[in-house]
RNA sequence: GGCUGGGUGGCAGAAUGGUCAUGCUGCGGACUGCAAAUCCGCCUACGCCGGUUCGAUUCCGGCCUCAGCCUCCA
């Protein structure tokens, strides 16, 4: 029997035992990226966390459906397209493809469904119609707004009241809105802008409606877990919930998703990542200099709800840890075993990956002390694979010399050593090290291994 | 101004009302042509002030401070 899986619910803010709505089919949705540029490490954090969550769920439940959308209609994309003088589609298709490629390198499995906003306009229109029928919105000059005052529980996720919202207002409120907290469900498009026909004229959807409509269309409401970054809690998730509550006629905030999982921000060397500072870390660039597995490892080294400080030292530490794992496998070839119990227990406790990694480290120590028992090594292997850290693809590091080349140099060095020509021997060691190969001198003969 | 969530040793980062987190780094040692790996030993913590308690890093209150959100954002 497995221990219960506990998860922190941002809705209500407490850690609770996860009980699926239907144990025969667990349903998860994560807010995916707006595809108008390369994915940054923050996008990757959400993807890796969700991926790890889904791995755990799949290990417990027979069927899990994981949906994560691609936002491919949005003003940022429109602006970018206009700047470049291309179609919106040209941009979104390119970056959606790159996003999936980058995430795959981080060991993130493709979602079971990856709906695109532009392919679900009809679902959105239908949901807006339901909201209007339930008196949760109003139409004004081609705009459709959600009426936040129609939902008494509005603000319950982020913990703010409509009055508090009022105090925070720093932007000019559109004259169409009846309450500054109201948000747009549908907005008119200019002739040159992308648009779709709707009961309210030619236009395009507001940002929040797509997730409500696509999760409804692909998973049904309510579903089990909705994941996303902290910055989305307000207003995005708050508004998604409000729309779903209104459309389904259920005023309870958990009528959308039972659990809202929220991952923390990524900082870069202690600073906020932002375009103005110019310190945005793109996965696309990071994988050029680091083994992708190390990036995933670093993302898992911080608990998903904590802010993650991305530093070069952290990267170095993650690399060392992975190297130690590799060292064990180079001494004792692993076979698939079962996941280490402590690692598993840590994951069951609100996806505590840093604690799981501590247990991995303890297991490494145990393996060394006990003389590389295959049972332990297999356990380590299974655990590492479960964390998405080991997979043939992740071990690939570009431009490494082939075993043949290495053996030839090693033989040459062996001759040099025999004749005590250590200068030559050391030179060979140094040059190979620069190419990512480390020589290990042992009593019998010298061996080598790839070094990250 | 309002709302969230944090503040643990040089760094990263967990748990916990009372004997060890752990890893990396640093220092000392074993081993070693060199370089590693490995092993042994050592040093640094719990933002501040009160309270509850026999005892608090852990619970409560206040304060300071950091970050995020309130405008697009993972």
């Amino acid at each position: 029997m497995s221990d219960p899986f506990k998860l922190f619910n941002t809705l209500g803010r407490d850690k609770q035992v996860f009980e699926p709505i239907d144990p025969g089919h667990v349903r998860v949705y994560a807010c995916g990226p707006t595809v108008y540029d390369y994915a940054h490490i923050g996008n990757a954090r959400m993807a890796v966390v969700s991926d790890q969550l889904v791995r755990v769920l799949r290990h417990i439940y027979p069927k899990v459906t994981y949906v994560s959308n691609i936002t491919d209609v949005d003003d940022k994309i429109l602006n970018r397209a206009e700047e470049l003088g291309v179609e919106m589609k040209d941009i979104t298709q390119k970056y959606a493809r790159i996003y999936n490629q980058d995430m795959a390198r981080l060991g993130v499995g493709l979602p079971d469904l990856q709906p695109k906003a532009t392919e679900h306009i009809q679902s959105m229109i239908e949901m807006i119609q339901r909201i209007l029928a339930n008196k949760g919105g109003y139409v004004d000059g081609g705009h459709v707004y959600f009426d936040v005052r129609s939902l008494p529980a509005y603000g319950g996720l982020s913990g703010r009241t409509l009055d508090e919202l009022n105090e925070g207002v720093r932007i000019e409120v559109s004259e169409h809105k009846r309450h500054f907290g109201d948000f747009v469900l549908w907005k008119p498009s200019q002739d040159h802008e992308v648009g779709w026909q709707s009961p309210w004229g030619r236009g395009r959807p507001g940002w929040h409606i797509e997730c409500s409509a696509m999760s409804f269309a692909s998973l049904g409401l309510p579903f089990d877990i909705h994941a996303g970054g902290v910055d989305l809690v307000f207003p995005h998730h708050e508004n998604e919930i409000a729309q779903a509550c209104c459309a389904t006629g259920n005023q309870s905030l958990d009528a959308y998703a039972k659990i809202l999982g929220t991952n923390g921000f990524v900082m870069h060397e202690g600073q906020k990542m932002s375009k103005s500072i110019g310190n945005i870390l793109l996965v696309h660039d990071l994988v050029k200099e680091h083994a992708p597995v190390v990036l995933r490892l670093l993302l898992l080294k911080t608990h998903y709800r904590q802010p993650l400080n991305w530093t070069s030292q952290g990267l170095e530490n993650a690399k060392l840890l992975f190297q130690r794992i590799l060292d064990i496998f180079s001494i004792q070839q692993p076979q698939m075993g079962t996941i280490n119990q402590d690692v598993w227990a840590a994951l069951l406790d609100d996806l505590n990956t840093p604690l799981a990694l501590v247990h991995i480290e303890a297991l490494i120590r145990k393996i060394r002390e006990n003389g590389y028992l295959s049972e332990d090594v297999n356990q380590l292997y299974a655990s590492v694979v479960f964390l998405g850290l080991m997979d043939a693809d992740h071990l690939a590091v570009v431009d490494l010399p082939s075993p043949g080349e290495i053996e030839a140099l090693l033989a040459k060095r062996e001759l040099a050593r025999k004749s005590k020509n250590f200068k030559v021997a050391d030179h060979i060691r140094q040059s190979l090290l620069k190419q990512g190969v480390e020589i290990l001198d042992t009593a019998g003969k010298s061996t080598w291994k790839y070094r990250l």
Side-chain angles (χ1 to χ4, degrees), chain A residues 42 56 121-122 141 228 291 294 345 373 384 387:
Chain A
V56 170
I121 301 294
Q122 192 52 39
V294 171
L373 298 177
V384 167
L387 290 170

Side-chain angles (χ1 to χ4, degrees), chain A residues 295-309:
Chain A
L295 306 182
R296 182 179 177 109
L297 183 52
L298 185 50
L299 289 172
L300 293 177
K301 275 199 80 164
T302 299
H303 184 87
Y304 75 95
R305 287 196 279 123
Q306 295 288 114
L308 188 158
N309 189 13

